[in-house]
Amino acid sequence: MSKLVFIRHGQSEWNLKNLFTGWVDVNLSEQGEQEAKEAGRKLKEAGIEFDQAYTSVLTRAIKTLHFALEESGQLWIPEEKSWRLNERHYGALQGKNKKAAAEKYGDEQVHIWRRSYDVLPPLLDANDEGSAANDRRYANLDPRIVPGGENLKVTLERVIPFWEDKIAPDLLAGKNVIVAAHGNSLRALTKYIEQISDEDIMNVEMATGQPVVYDLDDKLNIVKKEKL
């Protein structure tokens, strides 16, 4: 039986400022660092040992992984970063204050953009200075797949190939895997492995810095799920 652990990154500096973050690379806040370390202590107390770690290419997730692994005495394990585990891209909303956006567009519209499964936010033009197309970490990607904005459905579509190519084969080989990523990339994976409906996923929240542990059988069916 394999274990799969999801950890949403700890509070980021932009979480603290109530800004839409998405693919913008921001650091953890002081609270976020403590949340990540506490996640590692919980993993150590639970006696969970990992064989492989995965994270995104964004600092807040990478540091969360490293803090958690260091606290659990497992900083040495193999690690891989992928843009496919990035947070959902919030398009032209990135960098905007959530309260100000609600005042401009209305609470209901902003709620739909944030929580719906298949409604896109206002898109960010590829020529915008804030576009990921200008970021060196995505230089090897086909420019046509660098998003200008995503909903959860699109996020799921880019996360699943990574699940199929990397995470699932590790689990099927009997490895224990930790994934430190983001609220929406983890919601997408949660939707997939738990077979949550498009409607019900709107009510699923991923708490910052809280490990979610799955015990999976040899066909990747969930035997047990718990939050540490």
Side-chain angles (χ1 to χ4, degrees):
M1 188 178 297
S2 300
K3 287 188 181 294
L4 171 65
V5 173
F6 289 158
I7 303 179
R8 180 187 175 188
H9 65 77
Q11 183 193 66
S12 75
E13 292 174 340
W14 277 21
N15 289 148
L16 185 60
K17 294 178 180 179
N18 201 33
L19 303 178
F20 286 100
T21 310
W23 281 34
V24 179
D25 195 25
V26 301
N27 213 335
L28 292 173
S29 67
E30 184 176 342
Q31 177 181 320
E33 291 185 4
Q34 294 306 313
E35 288 174 342
K37 291 176 181 179
E38 178 61 21
R41 289 190 283 270
K42 289 178 178 178
L43 292 169
K44 184 174 183 178
E45 290 171 3
I48 301 176
E49 297 183 341
F50 297 106
D51 303 293
Q52 178 67 47
Y54 294 108
T55 188
S56 74
V57 296
L58 298 171
T59 299
R60 57 196 187 273
I62 297 168
K63 284 193 171 181
T64 293
L65 176 65
H66 291 174
F67 281 129
L69 289 178
E70 184 173 16
E71 287 293 322
S72 64
Q74 302 182 74
L75 194 56
W76 57 271
I77 69 169
E79 167 190 331
E80 182 172 341
K81 305 177 184 74
S82 174
W83 68 277
R84 290 190 177 276
L85 293 175
N86 277 13
E87 175 59 297
R88 166 193 169 186
H89 194 300
Y90 274 103
L93 295 175
Q94 294 187 161
K96 303 291 192 298
N97 181 276
K98 294 174 183 177
K99 182 178 179 181
E103 290 173 352
K104 179 177 180 179
Y105 300 106
D107 289 333
E108 183 176 356
Q109 180 62 69
V110 172
H111 180 75
I112 290 171
W113 283 332
R114 292 184 66 188
R115 306 302 299 175
S116 70
Y117 179 61
D118 57 4
V119 177
L120 287 168
L123 300 183
L124 187 68
D125 190 275
N127 296 318
D128 190 286
E129 64 179 5
S131 171
N134 301 317
D135 192 320
R136 188 167 69 92
R137 76 195 78 192
Y138 309 113
N140 294 328
L141 295 183
D142 182 335
R144 292 171 294 185
I145 66 173
V146 176
E150 297 175 308
N151 50 41
L152 189 62
K153 181 176 184 291
V154 175
T155 305
L156 177 61
E157 290 169 353
R158 69 156 156 90
V159 167
I160 291 308
F162 193 80
W163 169 268
E164 294 174 339
D165 294 342
K166 298 289 185 174
I167 302 174
D170 281 348
L171 296 169
L172 289 169
K175 296 180 179 180
N176 290 343
V177 175
I178 181 171
V179 180
H182 307 265
N184 284 293
S185 53
L186 292 178
R187 284 177 69 225
L189 284 170
T190 298
K191 182 183 191 306
Y192 183 74
I193 66 175
E194 294 189 32
Q195 301 181 33
I196 299 171
S197 70
D198 297 354
E199 294 75 23
D200 290 343
I201 194 61
M202 294 177 65
N203 300 315
V204 174
E205 296 281 355
M206 305 295 296
T208 55
Q210 182 179 62
V212 178
V213 183
Y214 294 95
D215 289 331
L216 303 171
D217 65 18
D218 58 4
K219 297 186 185 303
L220 302 188
N221 296 309
I222 299 170
V223 176
K224 182 183 177 183
K225 173 186 176 182
E226 63 178 326
K227 296 180 180 180
L228 298 184

